[in-house]
């Protein structure tokens, strides 16, 4: 008798922010202002640090933000959004029956501003339990997609070896921090701005 077990199921949650339109413009301008103020420091960081300069400047931007003076989690302009995201993460964890007493805690957060032709290579956020991406400013269903590796090669199955979420303003996507994910090349002229967070 053959026994079949299902291992490593992939759970990806998503929801829409009901007050997104109220915060989109202000938080978009805040991200652009912060990025502009750190432009020279970031260019110096990429040039001088031998541990950076990956093919994707966006992954370097993440590393830079970890060391910079600016901390997204401490920016009070984002408090309302952060509270809502905290709630959604804990609802997600409760539905998966992995909720912790006292709730999951956000340990870091950052933002990415994608210009035309930029992308993010496949990576994961080891060391955290859950990660999430919030679409702050993007073209509805037109910007670069958030990709996840499905764990299947695609050679023996009819389905695509990747799953994806399309860009949509106000959308929050939640997933295991160990899940490999990437962002397609952004091929439109409009900026694509996302926020990302890790929870334990």
């Amino acid at each position: 008798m053959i026994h079949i077990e299902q291992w490593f199921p992939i759970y990806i949650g998503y929801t829409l922010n009901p007050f997104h339109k109220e915060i989109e413009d202000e938080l978009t301008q805040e991200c652009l202002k912060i990025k502009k103020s750190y432009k020279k420091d970031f260019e110096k960081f990429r040039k001088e640090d031998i541990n950076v300069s990956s093919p994707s400047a966006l992954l370097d931007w993440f590393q830079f933000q970890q060391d910079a003076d600016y901390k997204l989690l401490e920016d009070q302009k984002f408090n309302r959004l952060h509270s809502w995201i905290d709630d959604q993460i804990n609802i997600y964890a409760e539905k998966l029956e992995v909720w912790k007493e006292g709730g999951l805690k956000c340990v870091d957060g950052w933002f990415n501003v994608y210009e035309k032709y930029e992308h993010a290579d496949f990576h994961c956020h080891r060391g955290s339990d859950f990660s999430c991406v919030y679409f702050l400013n993007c073209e509805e269903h037109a910007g670069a997609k958030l990709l996840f590796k499905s764990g299947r090669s695609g050679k023996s199955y009819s389905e695509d070896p990747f799953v994806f979420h399309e860009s949509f303003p106000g959308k929050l996507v939640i997933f295991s921090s160990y899940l490999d994910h990437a962002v397609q090349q952004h091929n439109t002229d409009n900026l694509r701005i996302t926020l990302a967070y890790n929870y334990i």
Side-chain angles (χ1 to χ4, degrees), residues 122-135:
F122 274 103
H123 63 286
C124 65
H125 302 178
R126 285 186 177 86
S128 298
D129 295 318
F130 294 106
S131 298
C132 62
V133 173
Y134 183 78
F135 293 86

Side-chain angles (χ1 to χ4, degrees), residues 93-158:
E94 189 172 1
K95 284 185 177 289
L96 293 184
E97 299 181 348
V98 294
W99 187 82
K100 298 179 179 179
E101 188 173 342
L104 291 163
K105 304 296 181 188
C106 188
V107 292
D108 56 20
W110 63 99
F111 66 87
N112 288 318
V113 179
Y114 291 80
E115 297 183 15
K116 193 170 185 179
Y117 305 128
E118 289 190 315
H119 72 286
D121 299 317
F122 274 103
H123 63 286
C124 65
H125 302 178
R126 285 186 177 86
S128 298
D129 295 318
F130 294 106
S131 298
C132 62
V133 173
Y134 183 78
F135 293 86
L136 178 61
N137 190 300
C138 60
E139 292 180 75
E140 189 173 316
H141 304 303
K145 295 175 183 175
L146 176 62
L147 299 176
F148 298 95
K149 287 187 179 178
S150 70
R152 297 185 172 180
S153 67
K155 295 177 182 177
S156 302
Y157 296 88
S158 60

Side-chain angles (χ1 to χ4, degrees), residues 11-14 88-89 92 130-133 172-176:
Y11 297 106
I12 300 173
Y14 70 94
Q88 303 313 304
I89 288 285
Y92 174 81
F130 294 106
S131 298
C132 62
V133 173
L172 177 70
V173 181
I174 308 169
F175 50 94
S176 166

Side-chain angles (χ1 to χ4, degrees), residues 16-33:
L16 297 178
N17 181 352
F19 58 85
H20 177 77
K21 288 293 183 187
E22 299 171 32
I23 62 172
E24 181 178 3
D25 290 341
E26 180 186 3
L27 298 188
T28 293
Q29 293 309 311
E30 180 71 5
C31 289
L32 294 176
K33 181 181 82 174

Side-chain angles (χ1 to χ4, degrees), residues 41-70:
D41 290 338
F42 176 58
E43 290 171 353
K44 182 178 178 183
F45 174 78
R46 287 202 85 201
K47 186 176 181 180
E48 295 180 354
D49 194 321
I50 60 172
N51 295 317
V52 298
S53 295
S54 69
S56 171
L58 273 300
L59 296 182
D60 293 345
W61 173 246
F62 157 73
Q63 186 60 52
F64 173 75
Q65 284 187 79
Q66 303 312 298
D67 301 327
D69 294 335
Y70 175 77

